[in-house]
Amino acid sequence: MNLILVGPPGAGKGTQAERIQQDFGLPYFATGNILRAAVADGTDLGKQAKAFMDDGKLVPDELIIGVLLEALQSADAADGFLLDGFPRTIAQADALGEALGKVGRKITAVLLIDVPDEEVVRRLSGRRECAKNHHTYHVDFDPPKHEGVCDQDGSKLIQRDDDKPEVIKKRLVTYHEQTEPLVDYYEGRDLLRRFDGSRTPTEVHDHVRATIATLRLEDAI
Ligand code: ADP
Ligand code: ADP
């Protein structure tokens, strides 16, 4: 199964991805995590990407497409993958479709998790992420057992640089302008599945898991 998660920043893609990985054991590739690791490591990619990320803009297609396609060629992704945060532009979607087609693979489904803009602001301003493994929390909606510490690996919880109010607003504009067109793009290819991201994490997860289980059955037939 080759699955893609799409949705505005803060919709709950990472939160659901954690659960989907546990359910189905799919290798997970999140371009935001890949880019933040590159920034932290001070690689060329990180140096080029940082200013765009801090400004709520997308990193240029030519920087990210190669990185992602290379990751998908790894042995890890040979039997399927779960993508989060890629594609984010039509050009990225075209490049992904083409690369998969060349090796006789295709996208199984695109899972759209949607929430209104005002909910995005509430979620991102309270988001905390663990320093080690990107486990996600929210100060009000999903607090850790001990303040500032990850329940799962004990590492410190941090706030992302781009989860500040002024950058959040820019990221929303970027989403509506550059990423939302993917909804029609994938709907036209009959790949889109919609989920109401304003429900609780467990309700969203139940719905997503049931959909993936059905897709898997159809795939096996
Ligand atoms: P969110 O959790 O808010 O959806 P991500 O962690 O996926 O955000 O991405 C953080 C930032 O990394 C984005 O604002 C953007 O600058 C950059 N980024 C991530 N994925 C891509 C991509 N596919 N194309 C361009 N930029 C990307
Ligand atoms: P994304 O990966 O789409 O940017 P995250 O999974 O990081 O989104 O979630 C953004 C914030 O909202 C996090 O603080 C997370 O704990 C919280 N969150 C995620 N899903 C829900 C939900 N269904 N209801 C309330 N808060 C949520």
Side-chain angles (χ1 to χ4, degrees):
M1 277 194 304
N2 303 318
L3 299 174
I4 297 176
L5 282 166
V6 174
K13 302 181 296 296
T15 301
Q16 296 302 325
E18 251 179 64
R19 298 176 181 216
I20 299 169
Q21 275 172 274
Q22 282 165 13
D23 295 333
F24 299 98
L26 280 172
Y28 172 55
F29 299 92
T31 41
N33 292 345
I34 295 172
L35 288 168
R36 278 185 294 280
V39 170
D41 292 345
T43 65
D44 278 349
L45 172 67
K47 281 183 197 144
Q48 292 180 73
K50 187 175 184 338
F52 296 101
M53 297 169 77
D54 287 348
D55 199 26
K57 298 204 173 100
L58 294 185
V59 167
D61 287 333
E62 54 276 21
L63 268 187
I64 192 74
I65 288 174
V67 172
L68 192 276
L69 294 186
E70 197 177 309
L72 290 190
Q73 279 159 15
S74 69
D76 280 356
D79 293 329
F81 53 74
L82 175 63
L83 290 188
D84 171 0
F86 189 100
R88 254 177 157 101
T89 62
I90 299 281
Q92 293 179 14
D94 283 340
L96 176 64
E98 228 171 83
L100 290 175
K102 271 190 198 154
V103 291
R105 293 171 71 174
K106 57 184 171 37
I107 294 161
T108 311
V110 176
L111 315 172
L112 169 68
I113 304 183
D114 213 0
V115 296
D117 286 6
E118 57 280 11
E119 182 65 15
V120 165
V121 176
R122 267 195 294 273
R123 289 192 186 177
L124 293 188
S125 24
R127 170 157 70 182
R128 298 291 182 271
E129 209 172 71
C130 91
K132 226 188 231 166
N133 292 306
H134 310 291
H135 296 124
T136 306
Y137 298 85
H138 190 284
V139 289
D140 300 317
F141 308 145
D142 183 18
K145 290 195 187 76
H146 304 284
E147 202 185 318
V149 182
C150 179
D151 293 346
Q152 298 189 56
D153 60 31
S155 71
K156 203 171 88 180
L157 298 187
I158 48 176
Q159 182 168 32
R160 274 168 47 173
D161 285 344
D162 57 350
D163 280 349
K164 292 181 206 130
E166 30 339 326
V167 189
I168 293 173
K169 286 198 199 99
K170 288 191 191 169
R171 286 160 67 201
L172 267 170
V173 172
T174 302
Y175 174 76
H176 291 304
E177 285 180 2
Q178 292 183 265
T179 306
E180 212 169 21
L182 291 178
V183 173
D184 282 347
Y185 178 99
Y186 284 123
E187 196 147 54
R189 286 161 175 75
D190 210 17
L191 289 172
L192 197 79
R193 299 284 189 283
R194 289 174 190 269
F195 301 91
D196 177 2
S198 50
R199 316 279 291 268
T200 66
T202 301
E203 285 170 334
V204 179
H205 174 229
D206 286 346
H207 188 186
V208 171
R209 187 181 44 195
T211 301
I212 298 177
T214 307
L215 288 167
R216 196 162 61 162
L217 273 179
E218 287 170 0
D219 211 39
I221 295 169

